[in-house]
Each structure stands twice: as structure tokens, then as C-alpha cells.
Amino acid sequence: MLNSINDKNNNSYKCGKKSCLGDYIIKPTYPNCLNNFSNFSSNFSTTGPTGPTGPTGSVGATGPTGATGPTGSVGPTGPTGPTGPSNGILGPTGPTGSTGPAGPTGATGPTGATGPAGPTGATGPTGATGATGPTGATGPAGNNVVNPYSLYVRSNTVGGIGTQSNPLPTISDALDIVANNGTIYVYDGTYPIDETTTLSKNNITIQGKPNATILLTANVVPLLITGSGNTIEGLTFTSDNPYPVEFIQIGGNDNVIRNNIIYGPTQSGSSDTWVVNRGIVTQGSTTNNWIDGNIIYSLRQAGYLNPNSTGYITHNVVFNTRGWVVDGALFQFSGNSWGEPENAVDIALLSGTTSGVPYSSIADLQQNNSEATISDQR
């Protein structure tokens, strides 16, 4: 039995007997307990501590469903479920959702390879001509360079230097500066000669243009060749009077006289009374000279071939002369022809000329040269 109890203020109370209701009557220990009961009441709670929970009773019948409460707010989206099998049947495409806001522009990717060029467009109209710019400063004067391997000659020029635009006045001037293996080009015109021009260099070509004429005006040989390997081509040789000289004298070896025209002024009477002017003369013992394709006429002799000189006389046309005179020389004649007026004789073989090759057969010599008239004096 509970004898005493303390209130919350730690006052001690005595317990009396149990009431008929089974409750204990609490009596305060203070003398005036009735007066002080209110103190007890305020200082002590009448409810005891909660007892242990009794066993759960049987479930009662389900009550009627209450009214639906308001819809709660949408909960957060749950995690994405696993992807279903890929071979499932596709469901119908749902409606397209509204376009979301544009995302930020990504970084510019690398430049791609240049594509093929497109076709050229049509040319646009020409623009207006711009204003002329100021004149630049005058450049330095150029040099008028002479090429010694290619010289030019024109008659009656003054102060020429041998270029095509500023030619020399005479062949002799060009021979002074031409280099071996060079060429002298002689323009058309008349070139008076009153002294001998000597070609002593080697492998020089004197190339005449049409109507480039060498006019002999004195009793001298106009052209003397002492060098070797030279070529005289395309010139015309004549004289103002019959002079007892040859137009070309060959004193070197391996020279070529080709495609020239050589003639003298008209002489009256029989050709055996004419002044002894000649087209070409070879010096004795010169070798391998070639006289080819020339036209020679109205001279005492087409040419005089001195002893032991050698070479070829081919494809020439000779008329109104006393022909070629062979004085102990060894030249092969071939393909020559004869015009009108006829020569007194076409080929004369003087005493002392070999009876062997190339003159062993007069018949062959005639046949090889347009049935030449031959005077055999051997």
C-alpha cells in the first residue's frame, strides 16, 4: 500500500485508506490538509503513467469510403526503368511535343576539305578605264650590242655597227669584226669595189640577199679567199668595164662557191679576142674546193683551174664564154649544163693535165655534163 507520495514541488503527502471506489485518498501531511488540498491538486497530477499497450483487438467492419480528397502535387519523376527488349512491337508514335528552347551554340567544327571548283561564271562587263598614272622615271639607256657571229651589211649606210637595225656599209668592214664560224648577211643593193677584199678567216659565210651586187670598178680581184671552210653564196658579181682579172680567187682549202651569178659586160667580136676576164680561179695545190650551182656568162672564161688544185664543179650553168680551163688540176665535173649563146668550148683539158681519173673517159665526161663540148689538148 502506498504510504506517501511527493508532488512536483517535492511536498510529501500521506495516503489514507482506500475508498470504496478503490482509490486511495491522499492526505496531505500538513495540518490544514483540507485547506491545502488545492495545493495538492495544483502540485500533483491525478493521471498516472500510461500503462502498457493492450493486445490489438479484432478488426472492425470497413467503414464507408470517405469523399475523395484533393489531388496532391505531382511527385518527383522516378528513375528511368530498364530498356525493354529491342525486338518488341513498336507502339504508335506519340504526338510531337512542343519544341524546347534552343540550346547554346556549340563550338565551330574544323573546316572541311575544299570542294571542287564550280564552273566559271560569265565575264562581267568591262569597267571604265581608270585615269592614266604618272609617267615613271626614264630608265638607263641600253647598249647596242654587236654580235660578231651575225653581222649585217647594207650599201650607202653611214656609221653602222653591224646590227640588223644599224648595218655596216661594206663587206670588208664586216670581215674585220666577224668571228670564225660567223655569218655576214648582205642586203640588196650595189657595192662598188675598187680594191681587193680578202677573206683570211675560217668557216665564214657571206650570204647575199637577192640583188646584192658586187660591182668591180677597178683592175683588181674583188674577192680573194685565203682562209678555209668559207662559203660565198647568193651574191651577184659584175663590173662596169671588162677587166683582165677573175671575180673570185680561191687560195685556201675546203671553200664553197654556191648559187652566185657572175657575169661581165658585153664585149664585141669573137670571144678569143675578148679581155681575159674570168669568173673563178683556183690557186695551184689548193684542195677540196667546191663550185656548185652558179650561173656564169659573158666572160672570156668561166674559170681557170691551176695545177694540182682539186675539188668539184657541179650543177653550174655556163654560156657565152670559152668554158672551164683545166690546167693540170683534178676536178670532178658533174651535172653542169650550157646555155645560149653557146660557149666556144665547154671544158678545155690543157696539155699537162692527167689522162687518168677523172678525165680518163671523154665520153663519160660529156655524158655526165649535158653532152659538153670538150677540147682535149693533152
Side-chain angles (χ1 to χ4, degrees), residues 140-146:
N143 294 321
N144 201 348
V145 178
V146 176

Side-chain angles (χ1 to χ4, degrees), residues 1 28 49 57 64 74 79 82 175 188 199 224 263 268 301 312 354:
M1 177 177 113
V74 178
L175 286 173
D188 64 313
L199 172 52
L224 170 63
Y263 71 97
S268 60
Q301 296 169 354
Y312 305 88
T354 182

Side-chain angles (χ1 to χ4, degrees), residues 216 237-248 261-267 269-281 294-304 317-325 341-345:
L216 179 61
F237 293 84
T238 190
S239 62
D240 58 354
N241 290 295
Y243 297 105
V245 293
E246 61 276 7
F247 284 99
I248 300 173
I261 299 173
I262 307 173
Y263 71 97
T266 301
Q267 299 188 62
S270 174
S271 61
D272 61 0
T273 65
W274 290 357
V275 171
V276 183
N277 53 356
R278 302 180 174 105
I280 301 168
V281 170
N294 302 282
I295 299 174
I296 304 173
Y297 64 95
S298 297
L299 299 169
R300 175 71 176 259
Q301 296 169 354
Y304 196 97
V317 178
V318 178
F319 58 94
N320 197 29
T321 72
R322 298 188 67 82
W324 298 97
V325 179
E342 294 181 355
N343 299 306
V345 61

